[in-house]
Amino acid sequence: MNKIKCQCGHDNPFGTVLCESCGRPLTEEAKKSKLVDMRYEGSSRRSQTYKRSIIDKIWNFFSSVKIGVSIIVAVLATSAIGTIFPQKLYVPFTAEADIAAYYERLYGFAGVVYYKLGFHDMYSSWWFKILVGMLGTSIIIASVDRVIPLYKSLKKQRTKRHISFMKRQRIYGEGPSDNPDEALTKAEEKLKALKYNVKTEDGAILAEKGRFSRWGPYVNHTGLIIFLLGVLLRGLPGFYVDETMWIREGEMRAIPGAPGYYLESHQFILENYTKEEAEDVFGEALERVGMIPKNYQTDVTLYKTKDGLPGTADLEKVEDYSIIVNKPLKFSGYNVFQMDYRLDELKAMTFQLTDKASAGSLGEFTVNLVNPEKTYDLGNGARVDLLDYYPDYDGIENGEPVSKSPLPNNPAFIFKMVTAEKPEGEKSFVAIRQTLETEENNYKVNFLSAETRNISGLTIRKDKTLYILLLGGIIFMIGVAQGSYWNHRRIWIQKGTDGELLVAAHTNKNWFSLRKEIDKVKDFAQLPNYEDRKDPESNSQKEGDKA
Amino acid sequence: MELASLSANLLLISFIAYLVATLFFGGAVKGAKSEATYQNNRWGTIGIAITIIGFVSQVGYFITRWIASGHAPVSNMFEFTTAFGMMLVGAFILLFFIYRTPSLGLFALPIAIIIIGYASMFPREITPLIPALKSYWLTIHVITAALGEAILAISAVAGVVYLLKNVDMTKKSKERFWLEAVVFTLILVVGFIVSSTTFKVTGYEAAFTYVDQNEKPAQMVYHYPPLFGMHQYEALTPGAMEPWAEMPAVINAKTLTTFVWSVGTGIVIYLLMRLIYRRPIAMMFQSFAKKANSQLMDEIGYRSVLIGFPVFTLGALIFAMIWAHEAWSRFWGWDPKEVWALITWLFYAAFLHLRLSRDWEGKKSAWLAVIGFIIIMFNLIAVNLIIAGLHSYA
Ligand code: HEM
């Protein structure tokens, strides 16, 4: 495309509104308007210049701030809908049918609609992902569309601007001066004291500060894009591990998701706040709410196989650690968190073999409920054989006892009691609070005591993208701080043709603060009065003050 | 206990100081001819001095309570909301020193007073921390997020001043209606404070058993006469009022009861005010906003979003993610409270982008600021009380 040549001699790219160098308006529209549109310095942007091909249209769509805001609002609205009822993640069921029933039971018809529309799993739905994707695209395209032209025109600006540029600024003033040269020198001095970068050229001053704040949005958008990329990466294998494990006290297990590592649990501890320790300060609250937990903790030892081979044969101890909420066990990129617990799972039961008639004991034996033995020799010719074991006894089906699960929640046993008196043995079915005999026995097995232990629920996480996310976050913060806490201010002062002075100023935000600074310069250097053309209230007040 | 009562007294002092300072800012605005002359007005100077005394006293409350309980006092509704009120005053002081406008104080302080009053309606005793809340990151996260929200809230205060000044209240219009609605909402909060205090003073209590969401038996104590009963409730307190209706398990009938009482009281107060004043209540406040400069209020509104947005991002998103990662092993869990923080953040991002185009200055921008404040309050109050998630307090 052709270049646009300005009267000042500068070649501007096609589509430029204000000459990059002297600021003269170049389009008919800009020439007619009273105030110049200073956004992106009137530079040529692709989205404003090319509008024909499909690619142009897509480009223009995504670079529009209106569209950008619409996408942001769409993400906002969908996110809000997702909070009306709990998300699938927080429903205490896993089977789809149960989940559907849960929504129906608790929320009635609205719950059914919510479930059917897929709002119960909003944040992993394809439309939510597409919206976030569009957001990312829009940020990238809108930034690229603007940043390069903006950079070019800010770099090329001339100190001396054309009068038509000055006159169209929001803040503008002109007036006679007794000694314009002295005013300029004094203004320069004051502006420097106010930490402006001052450039002079042939009776003109350009004072500028905070230009770097103009890059803030682009820096923060870069941060956002890095963050979104990090989120995208978690979909790839190897970047992200998320597993859970249940481990009993005294047990050693391979850590799921972390090949070669083993964990041994020594103890799970649950502590509540006690009245004594907290009487003065917390007494009132404990009184009202009852028990308040103070600590969940699993004491573990971490092991590693020596040569990375699977199998527990060759374990090397890595460390002892207490996993507490908020204090995960960390090793080579993995974190193991305390997430859940179950108290008092049965571990072993102790029984006594007794003679029904005399109630005398023939001895005691202990059954390990996870790994029971077949026979228990009580001496003196007495012996108990464990014929069958049902860890989670659930009644009798078709004449056979059945077990619901391999967990020892409700253990039941069939014992054979062998004694000197009954060498061929007597059979007895023993469950909690229940004993069945096929025929009347002489001996019985009595329950004496049980040993229990706690189980810890742990979560294993590895997240290689965390550092990418953190980097994105840091860059974003630098960018927003840069763009929000600093402003780009420019003040132009120059001599007119008849020895009068012209003052114009522009800032990208916070005009009041800019005006305060100009006032300081004005008072010091006797500059002409100026007007903020968008704040008639203050201008009239100033005149009122003078009167 | 010594320290705890000292702490309570400091809070009371700050509350009174804010009330007095409001009067002085009122005097500053009344006495001045225009924005230009009142900038260095004596009343305004005294007003800000008293505000600072109140603020320092409240910081004293915060620190002594921290020492007494051994953890940052932001762990339940009372503590968090009080801290939010404190930071609102802090944010106002900051903006006062940038722009020196008493009009802002005249509206910001009453809002802070209402917020602290609201906070005091919740159980005020010091609570020990449950394990998930024991983390430095949590403390940093909550304090920074509250600070960000407080600075953002100032933009709504500036927005209200702008609207009171620029909306024509003599003619019927949508804007007049909504402005009156904003004032009405504030009166509802006052209604909550009044009704809650009344029943607290009379020591009302009614206990019930009921069946909860997971079909387990549970107990509940009402401090208001129960208008609505919990799911399959049975009264334990003899002589207590019989609820009008029983609610399904998903609805917390106690919260609903409190809500209806507050709204009822608020409506009565509002109607009384209308009867006496005989005009929209917003008009009553309009005269206080007359002397504010519109451009200045617009700039304060925008500036406080600019200052607050980065702080909010850091506190409510970045620190929150770091903490969530430490405590729950994932940095983001789509918990309602998290989602609403994200919504707030997206909303203010949209605000900043809309400000890039010129026609979103002035009234539109002021309305946006008010909506932003509503979102923040929704997250603070409704999400905690209604959509209970992992974060729900007390
Ligand atoms: C959640 C996502 C986004 C966030 C948090 C964000 C954040 C920001 C912030 C803080 C600013 C600076 C505003 C100011 O200083 O006044 C900004 C400017 C900007 N943003 Fe975004 N943005 C987001 C998405 C987008 C999207 C989708 C677009 C697409 C159109 C976009 C286009 C722009 C533009 C054009 C600017 C002005 C640049 C300039 O002044 O040179 N942003 N953004």
Side-chain angles (χ1 to χ4, degrees):
Chain A
M1 283 280 179
N2 331 9
K3 300 251 172 203
I4 308 176
K5 197 171 184 78
C6 175
Q7 281 165 296
C8 74
H10 182 75
D11 276 332
N12 291 290
F14 180 73
T16 308
V17 180
L18 301 176
C19 172
E20 289 172 333
S21 173
C22 73
R24 269 193 191 84
L26 299 176
T27 61
E28 281 311 311
E29 205 182 328
K31 279 178 194 157
K32 265 187 265 156
S33 65
K34 273 179 85 182
L35 276 183
V36 86
D37 185 354
M38 286 290 285
R39 275 188 303 159
Y40 315 107
E41 310 292 309
S43 58
S44 161
R45 287 194 283 137
R46 189 189 198 284
S47 62
Q48 305 302 304
T49 315
Y50 304 101
K51 306 189 167 167
R52 266 193 243 133
S53 71
I54 282 279
I55 295 187
D56 294 342
K57 290 211 168 107
I58 293 174
W59 182 273
N60 298 351
F61 178 81
F62 281 113
S63 82
S64 146
V65 174
K66 258 198 203 112
I67 297 296
V69 171
S70 313
I71 299 174
I72 294 177
V73 172
V75 176
L76 184 160
T78 19
S79 305
I81 294 172
T83 63
I84 297 178
F85 297 141
Q87 288 290 297
K88 180 177 156 185
L89 198 66
Y90 295 101
V91 172
F93 296 103
T94 43
E96 277 305 310
D98 293 339
I99 294 174
Y102 181 85
Y103 282 98
E104 181 161 10
R105 176 168 69 80
L106 283 183
Y107 308 107
F109 180 66
V112 175
V113 173
Y114 199 76
Y115 176 82
K116 285 266 160 67
L117 289 177
F119 291 170
H120 70 300
D121 197 12
M122 185 67 95
Y123 311 110
S124 10
S125 67
W126 58 269
W127 66 81
F128 190 76
K129 285 180 182 158
I130 286 184
L131 276 179
V132 175
M134 284 172 70
L135 184 70
T137 315
S138 178
I139 293 173
I140 295 175
I141 292 183
S143 303
V144 172
D145 190 58
R146 289 166 175 83
V147 71
I148 299 163
L150 182 66
Y151 174 78
K152 280 192 190 149
S153 42
L154 282 178
K155 222 178 148 178
K156 274 188 203 132
Q157 21 170 1
R158 255 175 64 184
T159 304
K160 183 156 190 168
R161 290 299 178 109
H162 192 255
I163 271 215
S164 56
F165 174 85
M166 301 275 286
K167 281 202 162 142
R168 284 183 177 82
Q169 291 301 318
R170 175 172 156 179
I171 285 185
Y172 177 70
E174 58 181 24
S177 169
D178 307 333
N179 190 348
D181 290 315
E182 190 197 310
L184 281 178
T185 330
K186 282 194 128 178
E188 185 180 345
E189 185 191 331
K190 187 71 185 174
L191 284 163
K192 280 187 176 151
L194 290 170
K195 303 221 168 67
Y196 277 85
N197 276 321
V198 183
K199 285 197 286 182
T200 53
E201 172 193 333
D202 174 27
I205 288 181
L206 163 58
E208 186 176 13
K209 79 172 165 194
R211 189 197 284 181
F212 84 104
S213 77
R214 293 296 288 273
W215 315 126
Y218 306 98
V219 174
N220 87 44
H221 287 166
T222 308
L224 281 178
I225 294 301
I226 293 175
F227 187 93
L228 288 176
L229 281 180
V231 173
L232 213 60
L233 273 182
R234 329 175 104 221
L236 299 181
F239 276 95
Y240 187 60
V241 170
D242 175 11
E243 301 276 355
T244 52
M245 79 191 273
W246 289 93
I247 188 166
R248 299 177 171 82
E249 286 171 330
E251 204 176 28
M252 157 131 34
R253 310 197 69 173
I255 301 178
Y261 285 95
Y262 289 79
L263 206 59
E264 183 182 359
S265 163
H266 303 295
Q267 198 182 8
F268 171 79
I269 303 170
L270 164 65
E271 288 171 284
N272 285 313
Y273 285 99
T274 60
K275 281 259 163 71
E276 293 74 40
E277 78 180 307
E279 191 68 70
D280 335 344
V281 191
F282 303 132
E284 213 180 314
L286 289 174
E287 194 75 33
R288 189 169 61 88
V289 198
M291 299 245 271
I292 299 182
K294 180 182 172 189
N295 186 27
Y296 307 109
Q297 169 176 345
T298 307
D299 294 337
V300 296
T301 304
L302 176 70
Y303 297 95
K304 187 172 136 185
T305 48
K306 274 223 180 73
D307 28 24
L309 290 175
T312 43
D314 225 6
L315 287 180
E316 198 177 352
K317 177 170 159 181
V318 182
E319 63 173 322
D320 291 323
Y321 192 82
S322 297
I323 305 177
I324 300 176
V325 176
N326 278 322
K327 286 197 193 106
L329 162 68
K330 298 180 179 171
F331 62 92
S332 69
Y334 292 92
N335 285 307
V336 181
F337 297 88
Q338 174 67 48
M339 286 303 284
D340 206 347
Y341 63 92
R342 238 181 268 145
L343 293 181
D344 300 332
E345 186 192 61
L346 287 170
K347 179 188 176 195
M349 289 171 103
T350 303
F351 298 95
Q352 187 183 43
L353 181 63
T354 42
D355 182 341
K356 277 187 185 173
S358 68
S361 168
L362 281 80
E364 295 171 7
F365 62 99
T366 299
V367 182
N368 178 330
L369 295 174
V370 176
N371 210 351
E373 284 173 39
K374 280 266 164 257
T375 21
Y376 303 87
D377 194 345
L378 305 180
N380 297 328
R383 190 180 89 215
V384 175
D385 292 342
L386 178 57
L387 296 183
D388 245 319
Y389 168 47
Y390 310 95
D392 197 359
Y393 173 59
D394 192 30
I396 294 179
E397 262 172 43
N398 307 327
E400 280 287 316
V402 283
S403 179
K404 224 173 8 187
S405 73
L407 301 177
N409 292 330
N410 184 24
F413 313 86
I414 296 178
F415 290 122
K416 189 164 102 178
M417 302 165 281
V418 183
T419 49
E421 202 180 307
K422 294 265 184 181
E424 71 285 5
E426 295 174 322
K427 271 199 211 168
S428 168
F429 175 83
V430 177
I432 289 176
R433 280 195 229 127
Q434 183 181 11
T435 307
L436 295 177
E437 295 171 356
T438 35
E439 53 215 56
E440 189 69 16
N441 288 337
N442 292 353
Y443 295 90
K444 69 174 178 187
V445 167
N446 266 355
F447 168 72
L448 280 187
S449 64
E451 242 181 275
T452 60
R453 58 181 169 179
N454 302 327
I455 320 176
S456 309
L458 304 175
T459 294
I460 298 97
R461 285 282 161 105
K462 174 172 140 174
D463 195 344
K464 276 198 187 163
T465 65
L466 276 182
Y467 290 99
I468 303 176
L469 300 180
L470 192 64
L471 178 73
I474 291 172
I475 293 179
F476 178 82
M477 282 313 300
I478 293 173
V480 261
Q482 188 179 341
S484 308
Y485 298 152
W486 283 271
N487 315 307
H488 181 214
R489 296 178 182 162
R490 274 171 295 174
I491 301 172
W492 296 273
I493 309 171
Q494 61 190 50
K495 277 198 286 192
T497 38
D498 303 319
E500 81 270 26
L501 278 178
L502 314 179
V503 183
H506 182 78
T507 178
N508 59 341
K509 47 186 66 127
N510 303 330
W511 293 79
F512 257 83
S513 315
L514 172 67
R515 269 161 37 187
K516 262 195 256 164
E517 286 190 337
I518 302 177
D519 286 343
K520 281 185 199 153
V521 181
K522 193 184 104 182
D523 294 344
F524 185 77
Q526 316 290 319
L527 299 180
N529 276 329
Y530 66 90
E531 226 185 347
D532 181 340
R533 281 126 168 212
K534 292 193 68 188
D535 186 9
E537 274 175 52
S538 316
N539 295 329
S540 58
Q541 274 165 24
K542 273 212 194 89
E543 264 135 49
D545 289 348
K546 259 188 298 179
Chain B
M1 213 59 223
E2 283 284 285
L3 213 49
S5 63
L6 170 66
S7 171
N9 287 333
L10 285 173
L11 182 61
L12 187 64
I13 291 174
S14 64
F15 190 79
I16 294 166
Y18 299 152
L19 279 170
V20 175
T22 309
L23 298 180
F24 276 93
F25 283 127
V29 172
K30 264 242 138 61
K33 275 200 216 73
S34 73
E35 180 83 25
T37 53
Y38 79 30
Q39 291 194 349
N40 295 311
N41 179 301
R42 257 234 318 279
W43 289 77
T45 314
I46 300 174
I48 192 71
I50 298 175
T51 311
I52 292 174
I53 292 172
F55 181 69
V56 169
S57 172
Q58 201 177 356
V59 171
Y61 141 81
F62 193 78
I63 294 172
T64 44
R65 192 174 169 103
W66 191 327
I67 297 169
S69 66
H71 59 80
V74 286
S75 69
N76 59 33
M77 262 311 245
F78 163 70
E79 291 179 338
F80 181 80
T81 315
T82 309
F84 177 70
M86 173 175 86
M87 288 166 187
L88 191 72
V89 176
F92 158 67
I93 294 174
L94 172 77
L95 281 148
F96 186 88
F97 280 106
I98 302 180
Y99 291 106
R100 305 214 168 250
T101 158
S103 306
L104 191 66
L106 189 52
F107 287 85
L109 287 181
I111 301 237
I113 290 168
I114 291 182
I115 287 175
I116 297 170
Y118 172 82
S120 317
M121 297 303 112
F122 290 88
R124 263 177 284 177
E125 77 262 345
I126 296 177
T127 342
L129 287 184
I130 59 166
L133 300 184
K134 277 183 205 158
S135 155
Y136 291 119
W137 281 113
L138 173 68
T139 308
I140 296 170
H141 148 57
V142 176
I143 291 178
T144 321
L147 183 64
E149 287 175 347
I151 303 172
L152 291 171
I154 290 288
S155 82
V157 176
V160 167
V161 178
Y162 184 97
L163 291 171
L164 283 173
K165 172 154 183 178
N166 290 289
V167 171
D168 181 359
M169 293 298 286
T170 56
K171 281 195 231 90
K172 217 174 161 164
S173 70
K174 250 196 229 153
E175 281 183 321
R176 185 178 89 161
F177 173 80
W178 286 111
L179 196 53
E180 184 69 1
V182 168
V183 174
F184 176 67
T185 315
L186 288 176
I187 294 176
L188 290 188
V189 181
V190 175
F192 169 71
I193 297 174
V194 169
S195 58
S196 174
T197 312
T198 313
F199 290 116
K200 208 176 268 179
V201 170
T202 57
Y204 189 90
E205 244 179 45
F208 292 89
T209 57
Y210 68 100
V211 177
D212 75 4
Q213 274 199 36
N214 301 319
E215 299 177 330
K216 298 229 169 62
Q219 275 206 26
M220 181 75 94
V221 179
Y222 284 57
H223 299 284
Y224 279 84
L227 302 178
F228 302 96
M230 302 292 292
H231 187 51
Q232 302 184 3
Y233 68 88
E234 262 169 57
L236 293 178
T237 315
M241 168 185 164
E242 178 72 15
W244 293 343
E246 180 186 319
M247 291 289 116
V250 283
I251 292 179
N252 184 333
K254 180 185 169 185
T255 310
L256 185 65
T257 298
T258 310
F259 182 75
V260 171
W261 270 107
S262 312
V263 170
T265 317
I267 290 177
V268 170
I269 298 175
Y270 178 78
L271 289 179
L272 282 177
M273 285 171 85
R274 280 296 288 252
L275 264 178
I276 296 165
Y277 188 64
R278 297 193 170 275
R279 264 171 295 175
I281 307 304
M283 276 179 98
M284 207 162 113
F285 295 110
Q286 201 159 33
S287 58
F288 297 116
K290 273 274 145 55
K291 289 180 189 141
N293 176 308
S294 305
Q295 277 290 326
L296 182 61
M297 284 305 144
D298 186 58
E299 182 164 324
I300 292 176
Y302 183 33
R303 189 84 184 263
S304 43
V305 174
L306 280 170
I307 299 176
F309 187 72
V311 179
F312 180 80
T313 311
L314 193 64
L317 296 173
I318 296 182
F319 289 160
M321 288 186 201
I322 296 176
W323 172 55
H325 180 259
E326 297 278 300
W328 294 313
S329 83
R330 82 275 180 299
F331 68 93
W332 190 259
W334 296 107
D335 171 70
K337 193 91 188 169
E338 285 173 340
V339 177
W340 277 93
L342 177 69
I343 289 171
T344 313
W345 183 74
L346 288 172
F347 179 83
Y348 281 102
F351 178 103
L352 287 174
H353 288 89
L354 288 173
R355 283 290 304 212
L356 293 174
S357 74
R358 281 224 209 84
D359 37 329
W360 280 87
E361 287 172 12
K363 273 190 195 164
K364 279 190 193 167
S365 170
W367 280 117
L368 284 180
V370 170
I371 296 171
F373 182 67
I374 293 172
I375 296 180
I376 289 177
M377 284 297 126
F378 183 79
N379 197 10
L380 192 68
I381 296 165
V383 175
N384 273 339
L385 296 183
I386 303 168
I387 318 177
L390 289 166
H391 284 71
S392 66
Y393 290 122

